[in-house]
Amino acid sequence: MAANTLIQKLKNVGPGALVAAGFIGPGTVTTCTVSGASYGYTLLWALLFATIATILFQEMAARIGIITQQGLGENIRQRITQPALRMLAIVVVILAIFVGNIAYETGNVTGSVMGLQAFADIPSMPAIIVIALLGFVFLWIGSYKLVEGILTAIVVFMGVVFFVTALASPVNWGEVVHGMFVPALPDSSLTKGVSPVLIAAGLVGTTVVPYNLFLHASGASERFKDPSQVADARFDAVLSIGLGGVISMAILVCAAANIHGSGIAVTNGKDMAAALSPLLGGWATCMVGLGLLAAGFSSVITASLSAAYAVNGVLGWNAKLKDVKFKLIWLIVLASGCIMAVMLGKSPTQLILTAQAANALLLPVMAFFVLVCANAADLGSFRNHVFSNIAGVVIIFITLFIAYKNLSAFVASVMKLIS
């Protein structure tokens, strides 16, 4: 009976896996690699915190979607009944989604370009145009699902390769444990690298992705129709996101074991390949290039769609995929991401790190709205319990603190990209 129950739960894995595949994108590969290469195992605690926070809030989003059979945007609109507060909430959500998704889309496009450039010396502008046109075509005709599935499989395969490489690398497991459970910010002057505060915020922002909260609520409402399936959705979230967190940690550990202290400054996909060289040798560059391209392009599509779903829900449009209003939202996000990639793409790793840090700044806002919806009285016995509320509030305060500490480094990074 227990075996059958486990098999049934595994069959219901889906929305959580989509979330995990969503956050293991070019931002994760880049941020984790730069973190490990620059500061060794020191910032593993940020990934552990981010993974726990993701599981907690994505479980809330899934539960909200299952019980209400609506997306998170619709829930936010309905839960806040006072007209002025509702309008303020709608404006805040739309701004956060647009700013966050455009920043994330910029990183996705840049990651795709880095993937292409790992194979050949292609100028950035033509590569961005190709990515933009392909993204537009797949979004317009709605044939993105098969492509997304193929690209996600490539990304997952690359994650497994990182995990196996981590096990085969000369890892200092004592330092791994210390870095995971003893929070610390290293001195950036020791490596003359990217600000450790910016990287820590990026590790959080690339894992607890705000738009994934909207994706998970909608995906869970479509997959699970009965409140009794909340337990299956919770299992899905813990298993899928937990494995995603392990893969992210494996990427950081690979870079720490194989790049840290070597003098290599990670600026492109070829530099990242050094983390996989113990296992793949000369094939490492091809694997990283393919992974960055697949992760970037699949995220180009999902980030654009997620913004459209979120705005559609919070404004109460009830627009369909083929509706002009729906298409207009994803078109704005896609075009803005490509334009920003052209304008700021002279330092791709810096750009991707900054984009992830922007998500960390916006995260407390989205987490607050999830907490509000998860405590709605009409959820009955499925509303948040005391533990979930306490944990949620603690996570919000920690992310606010990280955002506060990150603000000056974020502004400095943006100014560096602009100058």
Side-chain angles (χ1 to χ4, degrees):
M1 179 66 74
N4 290 335
T5 302
L6 177 60
I7 292 172
Q8 188 60 44
K9 285 181 177 294
L10 290 173
K11 287 181 179 179
N12 284 324
V13 167
L18 181 61
V19 168
F23 72 69
I24 303 176
T28 296
V29 177
T30 302
T31 309
C32 291
T33 301
V34 172
S35 176
S38 300
Y39 301 112
Y41 311 101
T42 310
L43 295 176
L44 274 169
W45 62 267
L47 273 180
L48 179 62
F49 164 76
T51 302
I52 294 171
T54 304
I55 291 173
L56 182 74
F57 278 101
Q58 295 293 162
E59 187 277 334
M60 289 185 202
R63 182 160 26 98
I64 292 166
I66 295 169
I67 303 305
T68 66
Q69 287 296 292
Q70 292 181 323
L72 185 57
E74 290 88 341
N75 271 274
I76 293 172
R77 180 180 179 83
Q78 293 175 11
R79 302 300 179 196
I80 303 176
T81 56
Q82 208 283 330
L85 289 178
R86 175 190 288 176
M87 182 57 64
L88 177 62
I90 290 173
V91 171
V92 169
V93 169
I94 290 177
L95 285 177
I97 287 296
F98 261 106
V99 172
N101 274 43
I102 287 173
Y104 211 72
E105 191 77 327
T106 304
N108 294 332
V109 173
T110 304
S112 302
V113 172
M114 287 174 65
L116 285 174
Q117 291 175 337
F119 291 100
D121 189 16
I122 304 173
S124 295
M125 180 66 78
I128 290 173
I129 292 174
V130 170
I131 297 298
L133 290 176
L134 287 175
F136 176 84
V137 169
F138 286 119
L139 284 164
W140 186 267
I141 65 178
S143 299
Y144 58 89
K145 289 187 176 180
L146 176 60
V147 175
E148 181 187 346
I150 295 172
L151 298 181
T152 298
I154 296 172
V155 175
V156 171
F157 175 70
M158 186 182 68
V160 172
V161 170
F162 269 109
F163 181 73
V164 174
T165 304
L167 296 178
S169 299
V171 177
N172 186 324
W173 294 106
E175 290 187 12
V176 168
V177 174
H178 186 272
M180 193 174 297
F181 295 104
V182 181
L185 286 175
D187 185 354
S188 59
S189 65
L190 297 177
T191 61
K192 298 181 180 180
V194 183
S195 164
V197 177
L198 187 73
I199 295 179
L203 291 172
V204 174
T206 196
T207 307
V208 200
V209 183
Y211 79 67
N212 271 344
L213 295 166
F214 291 86
L215 266 183
H216 206 166
S218 298
S221 68
E222 293 179 7
R223 172 65 70 91
F224 306 107
K225 300 298 184 182
D226 193 298
S228 65
Q229 294 178 298
V230 165
D232 291 334
R234 184 175 295 120
F235 176 84
D236 173 29
V238 173
L239 177 65
S240 300
I241 297 169
L243 287 175
V246 169
I247 290 174
S248 298
M249 292 178 192
I251 296 172
L252 190 154
V253 168
C254 281
N258 300 310
I259 304 178
H260 181 58
S262 66
I264 296 176
V266 178
T267 59
N268 53 49
K270 293 180 181 178
D271 295 332
M272 295 181 198
L276 290 177
S277 57
L279 182 66
L280 298 180
W283 289 95
T285 299
C286 293
M287 174 55 68
V288 170
L290 183 61
L292 283 171
L293 178 59
F297 187 67
S298 61
S299 296
V300 161
I301 295 170
T302 55
S304 301
L305 279 178
S306 298
Y309 278 123
V311 173
N312 180 52
V314 80
L315 290 178
W317 283 349
N318 295 318
K320 306 300 181 184
L321 282 170
K322 300 292 184 180
D323 291 348
V324 174
K325 289 190 292 188
F326 193 93
K327 290 180 176 180
L328 179 62
I329 299 301
W330 62 247
L331 180 59
I332 292 173
V333 173
L334 176 62
S336 299
C338 292
I339 292 171
M340 295 294 285
V342 171
M343 294 174 59
L344 306 175
K346 59 184 179 181
S347 179
T349 54
Q350 182 79 22
L351 177 56
I352 291 175
L353 286 170
T354 306
Q356 311 317 305
N359 268 331
L361 292 173
L362 297 170
L363 175 60
V365 177
M366 294 298 102
F368 169 77
F369 284 120
V370 172
L371 268 183
V372 170
C373 294
N375 279 283
D378 60 359
L379 294 185
S381 61
F382 293 98
R383 66 189 298 188
N384 268 10
H385 295 300
V386 175
F387 172 79
S388 295
N389 283 328
I390 293 175
V393 170
V394 169
I395 288 172
I396 288 177
F397 273 106
I398 293 175
T399 54
L400 281 171
F401 177 74
I402 293 174
Y404 166 74
K405 297 290 288 185
N406 171 54
L407 189 57
S408 60
F410 174 75
V411 172
S413 183
V414 171
M415 296 305 295
K416 183 177 179 180
L417 286 170
I418 295 174
S419 62

